[in-house]
Amino acid sequence: MVTSLDDAPNPAYICPYDMACSNLERAAQVLKLDAGIVTFLSVPRRVLTVAVPVRLDDGTLRIFAGHRVQHSNILGPYKGGTRFHPAVTLREISGLAMLMTWKCALLGIPYGGAKGGIAVDPRRLSLGELERLTRRYTTELIRDIGPQIDIPAPDVGTSSREMAWMMDTYSMSVGHAVPGVVTGKPLSIGGSKGRDLATGRGVLITVREALASLNLALAGATVAIQGFGKVGAAAALLLRQSGARVVAVSDGSGGITDPHGLDVEQLIEFTRAGGRLVNFGGAKPISNAELLTLPCDVLVPAALENQITEHNAHAIRARLVIEGANAPTTLEADHILEERGIIVLPDILANAGGVVVSYLEWVQGLSYLFWDEDKVNQELEKLMVEAYRRVERQTKALGLPWRLAAYTLAVGRVAEAFMHRGLYP
Ligand code: NAD
């Protein structure tokens, strides 16, 4: 169903949907799940593609393709980010939606999985065009989202600004303020303290725990981070503040490296002012490909999918790969890294900090009671560490790589809930 609508433009690109289905099948074999349940879980429940017409500032009318894929609501409302990126396809979004189902199940939070996106380069639109695009997209989804139905959040190319427009559009349509329709909102309209750094904080917790499992200290550990957006920059900042040495970072323009450690605060100021990392003086420029193969303790891919592949996995020189991004490592690369003894902490665990604090934001909004940042961070810490320990135990108990161990826990939880609920009617 999903395959016929579009295909990935680059033949070498391995779609997150195919990766997620393969991992589902591998987990199902370990769990000895019924084939019918596996088929049921591999197909999204609802797939929506909408035309999003926007009047550009020069008066021309342009139509963008918007998608929202609702993979599963067995455990609770659909939940997942909204991506604005030119390479967005329905198939990619379907895979990312499935990853959300496993992520929420693994973390034990009462959500299903979804994802949305528009094939657009947001940097090429004016602020007004972007607002009209976001509001029209929200209007097209209006009957399919809601605090108990499907709750969007930011992802690549979107932020609290777009979430505010989505919340306002939805609220205007129903006639009253509905903060719970999205998460990752500004604080002034019901956002949660700590949400902006939450995914990065989850990455920090995962790096810390994974190093501790190897009897290594976070202080002084060397870290290379690909992607310097909401996830990568926050992870870089928090890792540096915790004593790690951030030796390389990159964005879409390329990267920079300094074996003595980069001044992350200065880099954040530089990029916030519109600078691209490749233009930052004072550190050695490197390509994104070079960053991935630098010698370091920890590599954090935090940009897009398909970054660690069969072509570069042999050259990775980190001891640990902590997936800040969704689906950055292909299946072939997974096997190569495993053979080489490099541990990969999978996306559905390592970057779950964002959806955890999204859940805490939603809970605060529904209870009309807002917490201070310490409380949010404590809850995040608790949920992340518990999930890490569950996966670690499963890895040891079943002798599985971390990704497969995480999938067996997540898929097992969703399958169990499905069996209890039964198939309607
Ligand atoms: P973002 O748009 O804030 O940042 C993306 C960053 O990646 C930018 O610095 C961009 O320049 C860079 N980039 C783009 N193409 C690149 C390339 N080819 N090589 C290197 N860098 C490149 O997005 P984000 O929210 O930080 O999301 C990054 C990843 O983390 C995505 O896979 C996303 O799905 C995942 N994720 C995000 C969240 C969240 O809360 N935002 C939560 C979980 C997972």
Side-chain angles (χ1 to χ4, degrees):
M1 164 178 63
V2 176
T3 41
S4 63
L5 283 164
D6 56 24
D7 274 304
N10 171 1
Y13 172 91
I14 300 167
C15 182
Y17 182 68
D18 300 314
M19 292 191 217
C21 285
S22 296
N23 285 316
L24 164 63
E25 278 158 26
R26 290 171 73 209
Q29 272 174 14
V30 176
L31 296 167
K32 301 190 174 38
L33 280 187
D34 176 78
I37 294 182
V38 180
T39 307
F40 180 80
L41 293 177
S42 65
V43 178
R45 298 275 62 76
R46 290 165 62 81
V47 174
L48 188 63
T49 292
V50 294
V52 188
V54 177
R55 180 79 61 196
L56 300 182
D57 293 344
D58 66 6
T60 56
L61 180 69
R62 193 145 163 223
I63 318 282
F64 296 88
H67 311 288
R68 185 80 189 166
V69 176
Q70 299 174 329
H71 173 255
S72 168
N73 65 352
I74 292 174
L75 293 176
Y78 299 109
K79 180 82 190 92
T82 305
R83 180 172 291 196
F84 287 1
H85 190 277
V88 158
T89 65
L90 179 58
R91 197 171 171 80
E92 177 202 44
I93 296 295
S94 301
L96 297 172
M98 194 193 292
L99 286 183
M100 287 306 297
T101 300
W102 310 140
K103 198 179 296 182
C104 294
L106 181 64
L107 270 286
I109 54 183
Y111 284 144
K115 201 84 177 188
I118 303 180
V120 60
D121 185 347
R123 289 171 307 179
R124 288 174 186 270
L125 297 188
S126 70
L127 193 64
E129 290 167 342
L130 207 47
E131 178 171 352
R132 294 196 288 282
L133 176 83
T134 309
R135 287 185 180 279
R136 181 62 190 246
Y137 171 67
T138 310
T139 304
E140 296 294 338
L141 302 184
I142 216 96
R143 282 179 295 278
D144 298 286
I145 57 173
Q148 307 298 340
I149 303 170
D150 182 356
I151 309 147
D155 190 71
V156 173
T158 59
S159 66
S160 58
R161 179 182 64 189
E162 285 75 16
M163 293 309 108
W165 291 331
M166 290 185 84
M167 179 270 186
D168 183 68
T169 305
Y170 184 87
S171 299
M172 293 310 289
S173 143
V174 298
H176 57 95
V178 187
V181 65
V182 291
T183 58
K185 304 176 287 290
L187 285 178
S188 60
I189 54 170
S192 175
K193 292 195 170 127
R195 177 60 183 90
D196 49 349
L197 294 180
T199 311
R201 191 173 296 282
V203 169
L204 163 71
I205 294 167
T206 313
V207 171
R208 187 195 67 207
E209 293 299 313
L211 285 170
S213 296
L214 297 176
N215 289 322
L216 296 171
L218 180 57
T222 51
V223 187
I225 302 176
Q226 185 202 41
F228 205 66
K230 293 183 294 301
V231 180
L237 180 70
L238 295 169
L239 281 160
R240 177 173 151 92
Q241 287 173 350
S242 305
R245 199 152 29 108
V246 178
V247 294
V249 294
S250 68
D251 59 18
S253 70
I256 48 173
T257 182
D258 183 344
H260 303 294
L262 294 160
D263 183 340
V264 176
E265 288 85 350
Q266 205 186 347
L267 291 173
I268 289 177
E269 251 177 62
F270 177 76
T271 49
R272 266 203 198 129
R276 309 221 72 198
L277 288 174
V278 81
N279 300 322
F280 182 81
K284 187 178 163 222
I286 46 167
S287 67
N288 262 300
E290 285 168 326
L291 179 141
L292 294 173
T293 57
L294 281 180
C296 57
D297 295 313
V298 183
L299 173 63
V300 181
L304 292 171
E305 51 263 24
N306 268 253
Q307 297 303 305
I308 305 178
T309 68
E310 62 194 291
H311 304 296
N312 61 3
H314 290 289
I316 302 288
R317 285 187 284 170
R319 302 170 80 155
L320 284 167
V321 174
I322 309 286
E323 295 187 330
N326 284 311
T329 313
T330 65
L331 289 171
E332 290 77 8
D334 250 350
H335 294 313
I336 296 167
L337 295 175
E338 194 189 334
E339 273 169 18
R340 295 185 56 222
I342 297 171
I343 294 172
V344 181
L345 271 284
D347 42 17
I348 60 171
L349 174 65
N351 70 34
V355 75
V356 167
V357 177
S358 275
Y359 164 59
L360 301 176
E361 175 179 332
W362 181 73
V363 167
Q364 291 170 77
L366 293 179
S367 60
Y368 301 95
L369 186 64
F370 290 88
W371 308 343
D372 62 29
E373 192 162 349
D374 282 349
K375 176 157 165 122
V376 174
N377 289 343
Q378 276 165 20
E379 292 292 324
L380 170 63
E381 167 86 21
K382 180 170 162 282
L383 288 170
M384 286 297 299
V385 171
E386 282 174 3
Y388 179 89
R389 301 244 186 285
R390 279 196 294 277
V391 181
E392 186 174 42
R393 279 197 299 275
Q394 186 83 335
T395 298
K396 287 185 180 152
L398 302 186
L400 299 174
W402 285 74
R403 189 186 312 280
L404 188 52
Y407 264 76
T408 57
L409 292 170
V411 172
R413 183 167 279 175
V414 178
E416 188 187 346
F418 173 68
M419 286 187 273
H420 281 133
R421 285 183 60 165
L423 183 64
Y424 178 86

